[in-house]
């Protein structure tokens, strides 16, 4: 250790039997250590030396415990503790080092952080922190100074740093270090302070700190299991018995299978055999010490050991998501806290959303998504009371998650150096997205008509925007098993399955047609130059049009007056002058509304024109074109007459009456332009939105793609680690491809057959949870055998991933012109009823 650092540490104080005694220059020594850390080098020599000297355990923690009344010393020591306990990644500017020596320093600092966490499991220390927080939070707003708020924030950051350190070491009778800290938080009342910080509007500046502490408290827990834990351990005993029975059955079947591989006679009495016509290295007949039934069974490499080196992950890429089994007492403490936290959950999440997305900090947003996922799952598994989580069960949350997933996927593909970071963030957002859809599915089970209507409206808004479902397709096509984990893939597949089930259930329950929003790019036509009419010709034409318009208005005026007397003053929501979701400037929206009113009048739809006028007046109250707040029918009649006689443009509107033929006409017109003109027109291109009918089969048809199918095969390879729901989701999709859409040749793939062969030879394939996979494997092999009997060339097709067109050609053949003899143009119900 550096002599100057050692002398500074000795100037702090010393321990005695009855406590700790500080030196006269203790405050100056603490400030010197803060200054040393500020000028630390890239190898973090000072930080590592302070960790080796155990200054946190021997000096800093005792100073906090016994000298908390000395404000200046306490605040300086708190600053030093926050610095020393910060995560190792922050010490290296948020990136794990690649150089070997620096990596060793990184691991050394992580070891010191684990030691600090164990030292913080002290009842007196936690009690001191809680008392200090309580004292500062009780100050009135006028009395609370900036230094006091800074001290509160540092205390919360210190608790957050301690919880962030990964440590699964267990005490003698108290579980892990993390569990011990949870017990101390409960005993000292820190949980009550967290609930207060989450709910109090005056303490909104500490909302993010409290969010991080709460999420780290639950980082080793499973929300579903935590919601079902009870004081009586019958459920836990039954779970342990089932796990032991499963392990016993696996061991028995493995032992039974190994007995068939060995002879009943002991190998020591196998004898010595000489193989004729096979020479050894000594140019003699080869000697073998085991009996052989066939000469082909001779293998001289069976005892050789192959040294395989596993893939070494970079530091910081390991996901700390392992669920550590806690004691029943700790789980009950966390369950009680979770139930209390649900009462302030909506307030906290509303405040967090305003704070986080205004600051645009992706790191804090990940904590927000984690909180969303955990408490949605806990609420769904506990009592499924939607009013506790209503703040996040809405269409705005779907939009937020979908945009974050898209941006994270793009950043992952563009930033190769931070792929692991973006993958972890995307995984947490995906879990939140999945849990949001699972909550919607659980809302159907609640026997409440109000909730049923609410979830129908919510799902109609979700399915109205196709991007909310197509984000799964984008991720599946970009999935890379070398960069993304299997847990990420399994959650993604389960999310797709839940989305499909919700889509099918919703469309079956709807009596009418389900509409979706469809965007099509429309390029503006090039305006043709027209001959400019002469002045006298223009005046004559205007006078003629004006006379005709006056004549037509006189004819329909009586109908308009009757409609005004018959209609009430309230605005009918059925008639809206324009779709507010369109990305159109406001002045253009007003012009479109005027033309729609004029067109309704010319089509003699007086009631519709009046409704459109009143709705437009409500949308644009400051515009005088639709009149002001009119009370008399005569004034409204005057406004309608002025709109009817106005010389508005006659170009068509982008409304529901316009079909796709207009887009095709635009494309044909644009095809006549030159390349330079096309580039100029692209700069002025715009997108157009219209509503179309939702076809479930058409949406599912998009997912039948070789890249998507490959992801499901990769997930099936890990069938032993998938849970029942995830395995069912994989098999359901494969069943859709082969049996529902009749693309069976796409499943004829060598990689899939190897996985099924491994499964059928697995001793555990008789387990009840694998029954569905066993039935699928047998049926797929039968289909493959039947196909090969008809055409032997299919054996060569198993080496390649196949497109839908390839599958049709394999099954139905190719004609002489090279085109498939049977093309599935429209996939209706009649096409799949065979």
């Amino acid at each position: 250790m550096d002599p100057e650092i050692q002398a500074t540490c000795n100037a702090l104080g010393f321990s005695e039997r009855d406590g700790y005694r500080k030196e006269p220059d203790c405050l100056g020594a603490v400030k010197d250590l803060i200054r040393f850390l500020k000028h630390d080098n890239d190898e973090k020599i000072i930080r590592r030396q302070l960790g080796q000297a155990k200054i946190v355990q021997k000096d800093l923690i005792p100073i906090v415990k016994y000298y908390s009344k000395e404000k200046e010393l306490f605040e300086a020591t708190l600053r030093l503790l926050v610095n020393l306990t910060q995560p190792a990644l922050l010490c290296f500017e948020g990136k794990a080092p690649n150089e070997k020596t620096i990596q060793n320093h990184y691991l050394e600092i992580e070891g010191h952080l684990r030691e600090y966490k164990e030292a913080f499991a002290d009842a007196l220390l936690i009690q001191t922190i809680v008392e200090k927080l309580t004292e500062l939070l009780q100050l009135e707003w006028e009395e609370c100074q900036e230094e006091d708020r800074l001290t509160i924030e540092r205390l919360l950051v210190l608790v957050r740093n301690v919880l962030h350190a990964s440590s699964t070491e267990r005490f003698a009778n108290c579980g892990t270090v993390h569990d011990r800290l949870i017990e101390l938080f409960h005993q000292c009342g820190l949980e009550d302070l967290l609930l207060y910080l989450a709910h109090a509007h005056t303490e909104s500046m500490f909302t993010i700190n409290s969010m991080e502490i709460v999420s780290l408290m639950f980082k080793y827990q499973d929300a579903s299991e935590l919601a079902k834990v009870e004081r009586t351990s019958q459920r836990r005993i039954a779970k342990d018995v089932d796990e032991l029975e499963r392990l016993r059955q696996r061991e028995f079947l493995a032992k039974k299978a190994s007995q068939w591989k060995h002879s009943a006679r002991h190998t020591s009495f196998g004898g010595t055999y000489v193989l004729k016509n096979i020479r050894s290295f000594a140019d003699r007949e080869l000697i073998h010490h085991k009996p052989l039934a066939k000469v082909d069974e001779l293998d001289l490499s069976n005892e050789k050991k192959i040294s395989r080196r596993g893939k070494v992950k970079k530091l910081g890429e390991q996901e700390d998501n392992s669920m550590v089994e806690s004691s029943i007492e700790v789980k009950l403490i966390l369950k009680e806290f979770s139930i209390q936290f649900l009462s302030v959950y909506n307030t906290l999440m509303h405040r967090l959303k305003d704070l986080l997305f205004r600051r645009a900090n992706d790191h804090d947003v990940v904590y927000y998504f984690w909180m969303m996922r955990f408490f949605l799952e806990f609420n769904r598994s506990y009592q499924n009371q939607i009013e506790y989580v209503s703040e996040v069960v809405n269409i705005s949350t779907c939009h937020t998650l979908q945009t974050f997933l898209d941006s994270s996927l793009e950043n992952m593909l563009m930033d190769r150096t931070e792929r692991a970071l973006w993958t972890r963030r995307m995984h947490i957002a995906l879990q939140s997205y999945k849990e949001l859809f699972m909550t919607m599915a659980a809302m159907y089970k609640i026997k409440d008509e109000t909730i049923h209507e609410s979830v129908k409206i919510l799902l109609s808004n979700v399915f109205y925007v196709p991007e909310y479902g197509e984000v799964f397709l984008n991720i599946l096509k970009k999935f890379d098993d070398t960069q993304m984990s299997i847990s990420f893939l399994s959650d993604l597949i389960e999310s797709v399955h839940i989305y499909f089930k919700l889509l099918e259930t919703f469309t079956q329950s709807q009596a009418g047609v389900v509409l979706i929003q469809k965007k099509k790019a429309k390029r503006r036509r090039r305006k043709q130059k027209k001959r400019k009419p002469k002045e006298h010709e223009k005046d004559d034409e205007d006078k003629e049009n004006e006379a005709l318009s006056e004549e037509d208005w006189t004819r329909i005026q009586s109908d308009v007056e009757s409609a005004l007397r018959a209609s009430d003053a309230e605005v009918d929501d059925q008639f809206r002058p324009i779709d507010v979701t369109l990305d159109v400037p406001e002045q253009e929206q007003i012009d479109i509304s005027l033309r729609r009113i004029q067109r309704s009048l010319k089509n003699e739809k007086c009631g519709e024109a009046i409704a459109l006028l009143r709705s437009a007046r409500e949308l644009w109250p400051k515009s005088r074109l639709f009149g002001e707040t009119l009370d008399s029918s005569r004034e409204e009649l005057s406004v309608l007459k002025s709109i009817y006689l106005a010389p508005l443009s006659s170009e068509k509107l982008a409304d529901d009456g316009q079909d796709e033929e207009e887009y095709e006409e635009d494309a044909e017109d644009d095809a006549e332009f030159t390349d330079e003109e096309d580039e100029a027109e692209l700069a002025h291109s715009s997108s157009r939105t219209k509503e179309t009918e939702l076809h479930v089969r058409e949406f599912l048809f998009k997912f039948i793609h070789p890249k998507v199918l490959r992801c499901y095969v990769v997930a099936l390879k890990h069938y032993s680690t998938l849970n029942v729901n995830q395995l069912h989701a994989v098999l359901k999709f494969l069943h859709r491809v082969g049996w529902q859409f009749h693309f069976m040749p796409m499943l004829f793939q060598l990689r899939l057959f190897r996985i099924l062969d491994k499964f059928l030879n697995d001793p555990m394939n008789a387990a009840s949870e694998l029954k569905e996979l066993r039935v699928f494997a047998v049926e797929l092999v039968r289909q493959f055998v039947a196909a090969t009997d008809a055409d032997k060339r299919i054996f060569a097709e198993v080496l390649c991933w196949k497109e839908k067109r390839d599958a049709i050609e394999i099954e139905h053949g190719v004609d002489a012109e090279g085109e498939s003899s049977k093309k599935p143009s429209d996939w209706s119900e009649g096409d799949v009823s065979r």
Side-chain angles (χ1 to χ4, degrees), residues 819-831:
E819 296 183 356
S820 58
S821 58
K822 185 176 182 181
K823 299 180 180 179
S825 57
D826 294 323
W827 288 89
S828 61
E829 294 294 334
D831 296 328

Side-chain angles (χ1 to χ4, degrees), residues 298-350:
L298 176 64
D299 186 9
L300 301 178
S301 302
N302 57 350
E303 296 182 357
K304 295 180 180 179
K305 295 182 179 180
I306 301 176
S307 58
R308 291 189 175 93
R309 296 181 61 183
K311 180 183 176 182
V312 180
K313 288 188 175 182
K314 295 181 180 180
L315 294 176
E317 291 187 6
Q318 296 85 353
E319 296 185 12
D320 190 13
N321 293 330
S322 57
M323 300 301 173
V324 181
E325 190 67 24
S326 303
S327 61
I328 189 67
E329 290 78 10
V330 173
K331 287 190 173 182
L332 288 172
I333 291 173
L334 292 176
K335 179 182 179 180
E336 181 183 356
F337 176 70
S338 300
I339 296 172
Q340 296 175 356
F341 193 79
L342 285 176
S343 61
V344 299
Y345 181 75
N346 286 333
T347 304
L348 176 67
M349 298 303 284
H350 177 74

Side-chain angles (χ1 to χ4, degrees), residues 456 506-514:
K456 286 182 180 179
F506 178 73
T507 52
Q508 291 172 3
S509 63
Q510 293 295 104
V513 178
V514 181

Side-chain angles (χ1 to χ4, degrees), residues 727-743:
L727 183 60
H728 172 72
V730 174
L731 297 178
K732 180 63 177 179
F733 180 81
L734 297 179
H735 180 271
R736 291 182 191 274
V737 174
W739 282 267
Q740 183 177 350
F741 287 93
H742 305 293
F743 290 118

